[in-house]
Amino acid sequence: QVLNWRYVLDGAGFARVLTHPSPVQHLGSLSLLVQLTVLLPLLFVGLMKLTRARWRAAGAGFALLAVASFAAAWYTAGRSGNDGAAYFGTHTRAGELLVGVVLAYAVLSPRMRRVVGSPLGAAALRFGTPAALVALLWLWSTTGLYSPNLFGGITAVNAVLTAWVIFAVTLPGRASDALGSPPLRWVGLVSYAAYLVHWPLFLLLDEDRLGFGGPLLFLVRLAATLGVAAVVTYGLERPIRRLRLSGPSLAVALGLVVVVVAAGAFVLPQQPP
C-alpha cells in the first residue's frame, strides 16, 4: 500500500526499472491509487461540510487542490528531476485524478448542460473529441519520463484531454460508438488484470529466452498479457466477486494469497543489471 513512497525515500528513482527490475515494481502506481481511494472520500466529506454542501464551492476546492498538486510536481521535478518524488509522490500525482473529480462536479452544472445541449457545444464535442484523441496519442508516443516539460504542463494537459474524452463518451455520438465497440470494451474489462500481469510477463518473455526481439517480441508479450489477463479475470476475479467468505474460509483465502505472492517473489525472474 506504500510502495511508491518506498521508491521516493530510497532515492533510486525510476532508474531501478533498468538496473534492478522487480516483477512487482509496477504496483507502485496501484499503491498510489489505494492511498487516493482512502483520502478522496475523506476530502469530499470535509469539503462538503466546510462549504455547507455548496457543491460549486466544493468543486472549486478540488480544482485548487489539483492545481496545487500539479504545481508541487513542477517544483519537485525542477529540484530533483522527473524520476523521483515527482513521479512517485502521492501529492505530486494526485492532480491527474483530481481533474476527474472536478469533471464530476462540472457535469452537475445546469449551465454546462445547457452549453453541451446547444448547437455550438454539440459541434465542439463532435470535432473536439477526435482532436483530443489525436493529441493524446501524440503525447503518449512522443513523451518520455525524462521529457523536460513532463511535470511542467504535460501531465496536466494529458489529464484535461482525458477528462474531455471521458465526458464525450457519456453522450451519444461517434466517439462513444467507436470507444464503446465490443473489442475495446473487452480490453477495458480485462485491463486491470492486464496491468497486474504485464510487467512480470515482460520480464519473463525476453529476447534471451525467446531468441527474437523487436516488434515480434512485443506482439508475443501483448498476446500473452491479454491471454493471462482473460484467465485471471474470468477464472479468478469474477468468481471471487460472487463468493461470500467469512471466518475460517476467509482466513484460508487470505493465507493462499500470501503464499502466492511470496512464491511469486522467489519464482518470477529478476533481470541482472
Side-chain angles (χ1 to χ4, degrees):
Q1 315 295 358
V2 293
L3 186 60
N4 59 318
W5 281 102
R6 176 189 162 192
Y7 293 159
V8 170
L9 296 174
D10 72 9
F14 200 80
R16 69 174 60 251
V17 171
L18 301 177
T19 57
H20 295 86
S22 158
V24 295
Q25 67 191 21
H26 64 306
L27 303 184
S29 62
L30 294 184
S31 62
L32 168 67
L33 182 60
V34 168
Q35 293 155 29
L36 293 175
T37 303
V38 173
L39 291 174
L40 286 181
L42 299 176
L43 278 173
F44 170 77
V45 172
L47 280 174
M48 291 299 280
K49 285 192 173 183
L50 282 174
T51 59
R52 297 180 181 179
R54 291 195 291 270
W55 59 268
R56 287 185 178 86
F62 275 112
L64 289 174
L65 288 173
V67 171
S69 176
F70 287 124
W74 171 76
Y75 175 76
T76 304
R79 294 194 62 184
S80 55
N82 289 356
D83 63 347
Y87 184 84
F88 289 109
T90 309
H91 61 304
T92 52
R93 301 305 299 274
E96 295 158 72
L97 189 60
L98 288 170
V99 168
V101 177
V102 174
L103 172 66
Y105 276 94
V107 296
L108 295 174
S109 168
R111 181 181 299 175
M112 184 172 184
R113 289 198 291 269
R114 286 197 299 271
V115 169
V116 171
S118 68
L120 182 61
L125 280 175
R126 185 166 62 252
F127 297 109
T129 303
L133 284 168
V134 169
L136 283 171
L137 291 172
W138 180 78
L139 278 178
W140 298 342
S141 61
T142 59
T143 304
L145 176 62
Y146 298 103
S147 295
N149 293 317
L150 179 65
F151 294 108
I154 290 178
T155 54
V157 170
N158 179 75
V160 170
L161 291 174
T162 303
W164 178 288
V165 173
I166 289 172
F167 177 64
V169 298
T170 64
L171 304 170
R174 292 179 180 176
S176 58
D177 290 341
L179 296 177
S181 61
L184 290 182
R185 288 170 62 188
W186 181 83
V187 170
L189 184 68
V190 303
S191 61
Y192 183 76
Y195 184 79
L196 290 180
V197 304
H198 87 279
W199 182 243
L201 283 174
F202 273 45
L203 292 183
L204 184 66
L205 303 174
D206 64 2
E207 188 170 352
D208 291 336
R209 289 187 178 88
L210 298 183
F212 54 84
L216 179 58
L217 175 61
F218 175 74
L219 290 175
V220 169
R221 286 169 160 176
L222 182 62
T225 297
L226 291 176
V228 174
V231 171
V232 170
T233 300
Y234 294 104
L236 186 65
E237 179 185 326
R238 286 194 158 191
I240 285 178
R241 285 172 181 257
R242 293 193 289 266
L243 289 178
R244 292 179 178 270
L245 296 178
S246 61
S249 58
L250 179 59
V252 170
L254 292 175
L256 287 174
V257 169
V258 172
V259 169
V260 170
V261 172
F266 290 101
V267 173
L268 293 170
Q270 262 199 18
Q271 306 284 47

